[in-house]
Amino acid sequence: MPFAAEEMPGPWWRLLLPHMRPRLSLAAFVLSVAGFGASLASLIDYRAPTFCAESGCDIVRASAWAHPLGIPMPLFGLGFFATMIALCFVARPTARKVLALGGATWAIALIAIQALVIGAWCKLCMIADPIAILLGITVIAGAGTVKPRWWLGAIGAPALAAIPVIFLALHTEPPPLVAPGTPVPIARAQLPGVATIVDFVDFECPFCRRLAPVLDKAISAAREDGVVVRVVRKMTPLHMHPHALDAALAYCCADAQGKGDQMAAALFAAPADELTPQGCEDLAVKVGCDRDRYRATLADPATHQRIVNESADAKTVGVRGLPTVYIGTTGFGGADHDAGELAAAIEKSI
């Protein structure tokens, strides 16, 4: 016998919702705790890279998006997930949905910023942000409050225990990685457990060009031995080289898209007289850069300011000529070095 209009059971999903809500609520709690943990790990890395010391993580942390309003981005994540944990036990469905939807929207925006603006990926961000999106979907799908259970406390205890860790992370200076007296630009570049090379470079300088393949060979040898190597290039274009500034700007534009290493290799390999603005732009496109983004970065005053700042770093360090390379805190001047010598210095620097 068919249902009368007023007896229709309604959409099928409404019939399932009472049975699914406890599982959705538990999933929301677990996701909130997991997101809190990922945000905490990211905050620790902002002080001293521990969980994610790869180049992509470092690029994201060094970007302008990493400290909105001067506040480390992970703190926003900690606040969001901590509030969501609390709302799992409070009957505030509207607040829960609004916050969850806002967090999911912001997470999508952060993923887009990494993909389209920064051009690099942070592993911890790619854990926390998708969790925020899944949490938003779970809450909108019907997650409500969870009934207190002892095992829920066991899951949530790490979040409570993390509160003093957060306080210490914000109020304790990380241990020094270098000896006192190390030039500030060199000391600032060091990361724990990573062999950091600071290369003051002019892409048109014939001596820099001579050292570049030797240094690349040394880096490859060290990496084959399991050493994590990070290269920090400081743009130091010399006035005597007519295309040095164009090449330095081109490198900065490519680096902003996560193509710094590829662009450096292309600039060194190209004939010096082809390092014109158009020639550099064409090289950037060949290594995978988006031409419109390249031009926008080139026009950004911050790109030119980066070169000013890095040239000032060279003066602070006391660079007297190029190439000058620091492997860890040991400086190497000139192009007369062999790959074995540099590889040994790389392995010794960690």
Side-chain angles (χ1 to χ4, degrees):
M1 181 176 178
F3 287 105
E6 63 273 12
E7 297 174 343
M8 289 294 288
W12 62 269
W13 54 268
R14 288 187 179 176
L15 297 177
L16 293 177
L17 189 56
H19 303 284
M20 294 177 60
R21 180 169 281 123
R23 294 182 180 180
L24 289 171
S25 302
L26 178 59
F29 174 76
V30 173
L31 287 169
S32 298
V33 173
F36 186 93
S39 297
L40 176 61
S42 184
L43 178 64
I44 293 172
D45 271 10
Y46 268 53
R47 301 292 290 170
T50 302
F51 301 98
C52 184
E54 297 182 5
S55 59
C57 301
D58 187 51
I59 290 171
V60 172
R61 283 193 296 268
S63 72
W65 295 92
H67 293 84
L69 304 177
I71 301 172
M73 182 65 77
L75 275 180
F76 291 99
L78 284 170
F80 167 72
F81 286 115
T83 305
M84 290 303 301
I85 291 173
L87 288 174
C88 286
F89 298 95
V90 179
R92 293 289 185 272
T94 301
R96 186 185 304 115
K97 289 181 179 179
V98 169
L99 184 62
L101 184 59
T105 302
W106 181 236
I108 293 172
L110 291 177
I111 292 173
I113 288 169
Q114 290 186 74
L116 303 176
V117 179
I118 302 175
W121 300 97
C122 169
K123 287 184 177 179
L124 290 172
C125 298
M126 293 311 298
I127 295 175
D129 292 338
I131 285 177
I133 295 170
L134 287 175
L135 179 58
I137 294 172
T138 303
V139 171
I140 297 302
T145 57
V146 293
K147 294 182 179 179
R149 296 285 189 275
W150 69 266
W151 50 271
L152 291 178
I155 296 175
L160 294 176
I163 294 176
V165 176
I166 297 171
F167 180 84
L168 291 175
L170 293 175
H171 293 84
T172 304
E173 288 295 326
L177 297 175
V178 298
T182 301
V184 172
I186 305 303
R188 192 170 53 220
Q190 306 306 309
L191 295 177
V194 179
T196 300
I197 298 172
V198 180
D199 185 9
F200 294 93
V201 62
D202 175 329
F203 292 106
E204 193 177 355
C205 168
F207 300 102
C208 293
R209 287 170 161 252
R210 195 168 84 190
L211 181 66
V214 178
L215 183 59
D216 286 343
K217 184 176 179 181
I219 292 171
S220 296
R223 284 174 173 163
E224 287 177 0
D225 289 338
V227 179
V228 179
V229 183
R230 171 174 171 260
V231 180
V232 178
R233 296 182 181 86
K234 299 279 190 180
M235 299 298 101
T236 318
L238 301 178
H239 296 298
M240 67 180 71
H241 299 138
H243 301 306
L245 180 57
D246 293 328
L249 289 168
Y251 172 81
C252 293
C253 294
D255 192 39
Q257 297 189 37
K259 302 290 183 180
D261 290 343
Q262 299 93 318
M263 190 62 176
L267 290 167
F268 277 131
D273 60 359
E274 293 183 10
L275 299 180
T276 61
Q278 186 60 53
C280 289
E281 180 179 312
D282 291 340
L283 285 177
V285 173
K286 285 182 180 178
V287 301
C289 292
D290 177 81
R291 193 182 294 272
D292 290 336
R293 283 182 59 195
Y294 176 93
R295 291 177 175 175
T297 307
L298 184 62
D300 188 344
T303 304
H304 296 259
Q305 187 61 45
R306 172 180 171 177
I307 295 174
V308 172
N309 294 343
E310 293 183 355
S311 295
D313 284 345
K315 292 181 180 180
T316 300
V317 171
V319 172
R320 295 288 181 266
L322 297 180
T324 295
V325 175
Y326 273 80
I327 298 177
T329 59
T330 302
F332 295 83
D336 296 327
H337 303 282
D338 61 59
E341 173 194 7
L342 298 179
I346 293 171
E347 297 194 20
K348 185 179 178 182
S349 69
I350 57 174

